[in-house]
Structure formats: C-alpha cells, structure tokens
Amino acid sequence: MIKKVLSAALTLTLMFSTVSYAEKTTGAIISSEILQESIDKRLDIDNVMGNMSYFSEEIGERFAGSQKEKESAEYIYNYFEELGYEMELQEVPIVNKRGALNIVGDNEKNILAYRTLGTFGEEFLGGSLIDCKEGGKEEITDEISGNIAIIKRGENVVNAIKEAINKGATGIAVYNNVEGSFRISLGDYNCTVPVVLIPKADGEYLTQKINNSQEAIEASIGQYIYDKTWNVIATKKATEVENPEVLHVTAHYDSVAGSPGANDNASAAAMLMEFGRLFKDYETKADIKFVAFGAEEIGLKGSKYYVQNLTEEEKTKSIGNINMDMIGTNYEECTQLAIETVAGDTHKVTDSILNAGKKLGREHYFVSKYGGSDHVSFHNAGINEVTFIWVIPNTNDNGIEPWYHTYEDTMDKISPERLREMGELISTSIYDISEAQPKVEEEIQVSKVIGLKASEINTNSVKLTWKTPENTVGLTNYVIYKDGKAIAEVEETTFEVLDLRANTIYGLKVASKYSNGKISKPVSINIRTKK
Ligand code: BES
Ligand code: ZN
C-alpha cells in the first residue's frame, strides 16, 4: 500500500482574478492587507444585482409559504450547492393565511388579497359577484344576500362593508382606488364573513366584466392556509480545527404579500449568495453557516425555528450572528449604514465590524439599537447578533424609504454603491472572525524510487524490486520501462519482467508516478539474461 501523508511543503496558489501574486512563500506570509484588499476587489456587485433581479423580477412577490417562496429557496440552495457547500433545506412549520377571490367558469382567475379581515371558517364560499360601486345607500341592495359584494375603496368603505354584511353578503372584495396595497380597520365590529382587500387593476377588470356581461359572474371567497416555509443552510467547515466555533451569516429571502421585495430583502439574500461565492476559495478556522430564512415577514418564523433547533453545544460554539436586511436602497435620505443589535450593546462581532470599518478607512460607523429582523431570534437565544440596514440619520426607530413593503420596492430603487459599501464591510469582518486564508494547493514533490535491484535472473525473466521514494505524498504507482519503453504500471514495489530473450542485455527502469500525473526521473539497471 502507498502511504498518503500530508506534505509540509505547501505552495500558495492564489485564485484571484483581479490581483496576481507572483510572490511565492518560503515560509513568508503574504501581508494580510494584500489579502484583505483582495476580498474587497473580488466582491462582485453585478452578481448581487443579477440575483436580486432574479428574485424581485423573475420570481417576484415571495410571501411566506407560497410556491414562489419555495422557488426562491431552491434557487439559493442550488447556487450554494454548485459552489460545493454542504447543504440542508430545513422545513419549517408555519401558519400563514391569505385571503383570495377566485373567479370560476370562463373567466377563471385567482386573486390573492393584500389583506383579509373577518373571522370565518376554512371553506371557500360561493356566490355571484355584485358590483356595489363605492357602497352608497342605493348601491347595496337585497340582491347582495348570498352573493359576493365588490366595493371600490372610498370614504364610505367601512359603512359599506357593514351594510353588505347586514344584508347577508357571503363575502366582500374591496378594491383599491389607487395603486398598491392598503389597510382598512373595522374597529371592534364583529366581522364574521371574509373581507378581502384586492388590487385596483383586479377590481376594475371584474367590475367591467360584471357590467358588460349578461350572465352573472360566479366566484368563491375565502382564505388559503400555507403551512410550511424553508430555511436554506449552506455550511462551510473549518479546516484542521477540532470542535470549531461557528458564525451564522443570515438574511431572509421572503417578501411581504404584494411586494417584489427588491430591497426587502432580495438585497441581502443576494449578498449572502455573493459571500458564498467569495468564501468558497478560503479556508477558515471557524465553521461558517450561510443561512437564508423563510417567513421573516410574518414574525421571524424561519430564524426562530433555526435557532430553536440548534443544540446546546451548537449554541455554545456560536461566535455570533451577522444578519442583513434591506441593504441596497437608493433612497436619497438613507445615507447611514446602521449597525444594530437588539439591545444596542457591543460584543466580539460588533467589535470586528467596527474594526473592519477602520481597515477600510471608515471611522464613522457606530452601533445602535434595533429589533425587527431575524437577529432577534439569535438575541433571544443568548447568541451575539448584529443586523445591517440603510437608514435616514438621526431617526428613531429606523427611518427608511417610503416604498418599504409596497409594490414599488423594485430594482430601480437599488444602489450598487451602497450594496458595495455594506458588502465590503461585512465580508472583511467575516474574513477576520473566521480567520480566513486563501485555499492552498499542495505542490506534489516528485522523487525517484530508491534501491532498484534485479534478482532471479533467468533465461527469459528477471525480478525487479525497489523501495518507495523519499516523498510519497500523492504517489499513486510505478512505471516500468524496458529498453526505453513503458511496459507496465504497478502499485507494488516489485515486478517480474517476462518474455525476455536468453543471453541478452536489457536496460530496465522504474519511475514513481504521482496523482498530478507527473512521473519522476527513472532509476535504471542493466542486466544480461542467462544463456
Ligand atoms: N426589513 C424589515 C425590518 C425593518 C423595518 C427594518 C423597518 C428597519 C425599518 C423586516 O422585514 C420587517 O418588516 N420586519 C417586521 C417585523 C417582523 C417581526 C414581522 C417589521 O418591522 O414590521
Ligand atoms: Zn426585511
């Protein structure tokens, strides 16, 4: 058997596209500043923008538990898997209800509600659609009993809803009078039928249909219940460390219903993926878990589940959590990169972040206090946490862009420069915390076999024996040559050369062969076969 032991002689093979290092190490270490710089330079914001636009434009709205949320999880999973990470798709139980108005028959259409009011059962209830306009006195007639009212949002909307319910409506769809989502409050009115709030365009389409058609348009109203989401967990294992610590780098990938969620939170999900791409070329002294959470928007469900499922040992080994949420807005007023912990405290992780800032020549960062994203789940488990967001300076409670959680959270409102500032800071900190080093490739030392001997010399055969070469790292087998030609490859340190002619001189050689395909200089011996 050939022994494979680790070579002490390692040659740094740096895999950077933008910086080339001619400098070879003879025990010397490339200065950490140069490596640091390479982290920044390798950060590819086009890749981040590309994946963001995939989430927010190709996939779109990704509300908790939806098929599109699942599709996003799979996209992230495949991305990390292709990079070679150890993967887990963690299924998380949730309850997320979403009202809907389903048009049946020829006009079949499935309209998901922005919001849903009322307490009602799980069954969808049927009826004809009745256009009640803005719900004035004459517009809500007895005809509504057992049917579904469509009401245009206006000043009278709350009374109109109550009136329709009094007159026996099965359910009510209220459509917006302007773009985007909206809220309605019924106060303490005990609403027992489904009231779904739907987009302007859908309401206009339906009322036109109702008014242009001879026959009634049939529909059903109710709510879907989505019962699971997924956390995508990509693990980078520490190199040559027993019982390593673990750093959790996280971002949620779901969006609120009705929003394409470019900044909230395709921005951070895509940055997480870029970090995955960056760090695959490094060896680290800590495990890094890159985790994309589902169902943040309905109460931090993904992260809660993830943290709850860490063992006590895993919690103890946790260095901390670096979370990102809304990291790419181009809203003019959001000029401050907020670095926030739930309690406003500082610790090892925030220290590393501020220190990374200094390395990058940015002295102005400070830590402030904020909850409201997945870092809260880590905080609640006693794990150090920090989250990042662009905010309006000097605003209490995170002043942010006005299109937050609306259909206008789109790619045209994203700043590549702000993404870069954030990405550089965090990647530098991850680099420091995990004690990253560029991956090294072993240079295989090729060496000759030792002590080649011929024995049992007969008229037509001879036995060769030798000893393993000095360096056995990467050694795979030996090549045997007769009169300059390779005649065999063997793994043992012996070979019997057959089919020789009697009384003839032969030049026999043996060389070592290595896993990189290289073959050592051969060692030769001349023999004369017997008469
Ligand atoms: N990205 C937001 C958090 C956020 C909102 C940060 C506003 C800064 C300013 C996050 O996705 C979110 O909307 N969180 C919820 C809380 C959660 C527990 C449902 C929120 O803040 O309403
Ligand atoms: Zn968010």
Side-chain angles (χ1 to χ4, degrees):
M1 266 301 287
I2 288 167
K3 268 195 294 176
K4 289 185 184 170
V5 288
L6 270 180
S7 161
L10 300 174
T11 303
L12 272 178
T13 309
L14 296 158
M15 290 159 282
F16 303 131
S17 46
T18 48
V19 192
S20 75
Y21 296 95
E23 189 182 348
K24 263 210 173 175
T25 51
T26 46
I29 293 164
I30 290 175
S31 88
S32 69
E33 286 89 78
I34 298 175
L35 292 175
Q36 200 64 69
E37 198 182 318
S38 72
I39 277 260
D40 311 342
K41 290 206 172 126
R42 293 179 69 238
L43 189 70
D44 181 355
I45 297 302
D46 288 343
N47 184 37
V48 179
M49 293 290 280
N51 284 324
M52 281 180 75
S53 102
Y54 188 80
F55 288 125
S56 62
E57 290 172 340
E58 300 277 321
I59 295 180
E61 174 198 73
R62 315 169 285 290
F63 68 90
S66 65
Q67 187 52 40
K68 296 205 163 189
E69 198 208 27
K70 174 110 201 260
E71 208 180 298
S72 312
E74 281 165 356
Y75 181 69
I76 300 168
Y77 186 101
N78 292 338
Y79 185 91
F80 277 99
E81 189 175 51
E82 269 173 35
L83 292 171
Y85 283 88
E86 189 184 304
M87 299 305 300
E88 188 193 343
L89 191 64
Q90 183 177 51
E91 194 177 293
V92 181
I94 56 168
V95 179
N96 189 21
K97 297 179 180 176
R98 180 111 192 241
L101 178 66
N102 294 328
I103 315 304
V104 293
D106 291 347
N107 301 302
E108 200 172 296
K109 197 169 159 65
N110 176 225
I111 301 166
L112 290 176
Y114 288 131
R115 292 194 168 76
T116 309
L117 313 176
T119 310
F120 51 90
E122 285 181 18
E123 301 269 292
F124 272 71
L125 307 169
S128 305
L129 293 182
I130 312 287
D131 182 5
C132 300
K133 309 280 195 292
E134 288 194 34
K137 278 235 160 62
E138 290 86 60
E139 283 158 357
I140 306 210
T141 63
D142 291 337
E143 187 193 16
I144 202 68
S145 177
N147 287 318
I148 298 168
I150 295 213
I151 301 172
K152 183 175 180 178
R153 182 186 177 204
E155 277 174 22
N156 196 36
V157 70
V158 171
N159 285 332
I161 292 170
K162 291 177 185 172
E163 182 62 12
I165 295 172
N166 285 342
K167 290 221 155 107
T170 301
I172 297 157
V174 178
Y175 68 97
N176 206 350
N177 52 1
V178 292
E179 295 300 327
S181 80
F182 62 110
R183 290 167 194 270
I184 288 175
S185 167
L186 297 179
D188 51 16
Y189 179 77
N190 179 26
C191 176
T192 51
V193 305
V195 178
V196 298
L197 312 189
I198 64 172
K200 178 173 180 256
D202 291 317
E204 286 172 351
Y205 167 86
L206 289 177
T207 47
Q208 248 180 29
K209 276 257 177 249
I210 296 167
N211 297 322
N212 293 341
S213 150
Q214 305 291 10
E215 286 163 37
I217 297 185
E218 295 302 319
S220 69
I221 191 164
Q223 65 188 343
Y224 294 111
I225 300 177
Y226 301 87
D227 62 0
K228 45 181 168 303
T229 187
W230 302 266
N231 293 331
V232 183
I233 308 170
T235 303
K236 177 177 190 64
K237 287 268 176 215
T239 307
E240 289 172 33
V241 179
E242 249 182 63
N243 207 15
E245 293 186 298
V246 50
L247 177 67
H248 309 267
V249 184
T250 63
H252 76 85
Y253 65 90
D254 64 314
S255 73
V256 292
S259 172
N263 194 35
D264 189 6
N265 194 24
S267 63
M271 188 62 80
L272 190 77
M273 292 160 80
E274 173 59 6
F275 290 165
R277 194 190 67 81
L278 265 186
F279 280 93
K280 78 168 200 316
D281 293 336
Y282 291 80
E283 289 183 340
T284 55
K285 295 288 172 220
D287 285 355
I288 305 179
K289 295 212 175 249
F290 295 103
V291 192
F293 293 126
E296 188 268 359
E297 298 288 6
I298 60 163
L300 318 177
K301 301 297 181 200
S303 57
K304 259 183 206 163
Y305 188 85
Y306 173 78
V307 171
Q308 273 167 11
N309 281 276
L310 293 174
T311 62
E312 278 312 310
E313 198 201 340
E314 284 170 318
K315 282 185 203 165
T316 321
K317 286 185 350 188
S318 294
I319 305 170
N321 165 230
I322 297 180
N323 184 58
M324 303 174 281
D325 197 342
M326 306 176 74
I327 57 166
T329 186
N330 72 359
Y331 185 54
E332 252 180 315
E333 291 183 56
C334 288
T335 54
Q336 185 194 334
L337 176 55
I339 302 168
E340 305 175 321
T341 60
V342 176
D345 58 336
T346 60
H347 42 65
K348 206 172 155 181
V349 180
T350 55
D351 288 351
S352 159
I353 302 275
L354 296 185
N355 193 41
K358 289 190 182 126
K359 278 194 191 177
L360 295 163
R362 308 176 196 160
E363 301 279 343
H364 60 280
Y365 294 137
F366 60 92
V367 176
S368 53
K369 177 179 153 111
Y370 191 71
S373 188
D374 287 311
H375 61 307
V376 173
S377 302
F378 290 85
H379 173 84
N380 292 344
I383 299 172
N384 290 336
E385 35 64 40
V386 62
T387 194
F388 292 81
I389 180 174
W390 283 98
V391 297
I392 307 170
N394 308 316
T395 46
N396 284 334
D397 220 20
N398 281 357
I400 48 162
E401 63 266 31
W403 49 82
Y404 161 63
H405 280 186
T406 74
Y407 71 104
E408 290 181 296
D409 180 7
T410 45
M411 282 305 286
D412 55 310
K413 301 189 198 65
I414 295 300
S415 157
E417 293 75 24
R418 285 187 185 152
L419 283 171
R420 171 166 284 286
E421 179 174 337
M422 211 295 318
E424 285 178 354
L425 181 67
I426 298 187
S427 57
T428 299
S429 170
I430 297 173
Y431 179 91
D432 289 343
I433 293 175
S434 67
E435 297 177 48
Q437 285 288 317
K439 262 192 190 155
V440 289
E441 210 173 75
E442 289 170 26
E443 191 188 50
I444 293 171
Q445 300 281 326
V446 169
S447 53
K448 294 186 287 188
V449 302
I450 296 167
L452 178 62
K453 278 190 191 129
S455 59
E456 299 171 27
I457 304 175
N458 297 315
T459 52
N460 61 355
S461 72
V462 58
K463 188 177 174 189
L464 298 176
T465 52
W466 60 91
K467 294 200 182 77
T468 55
E470 200 173 311
N471 184 25
T472 55
V473 176
L475 180 67
T476 54
N477 61 304
Y478 304 96
V479 187
I480 321 295
Y481 303 85
K482 182 178 84 179
D483 291 340
K485 267 189 164 175
I487 54 164
E489 295 202 10
V490 296
E491 288 196 7
E492 303 75 32
T493 52
T494 176
F495 182 70
E496 193 167 12
V497 189
L498 303 171
D499 299 327
L500 302 177
R501 272 175 285 127
N503 195 25
T504 309
I505 295 171
Y506 286 97
L508 301 172
K509 295 179 184 181
V510 177
S512 345
K513 189 172 174 182
Y514 290 83
S515 59
N516 58 1
K518 288 201 175 138
I519 296 172
S520 72
K521 283 202 179 119
V523 173
S524 357
I525 191 166
N526 291 329
I527 58 114
R528 178 190 283 272
T529 47
K530 282 199 175 153
K531 277 192 188 173

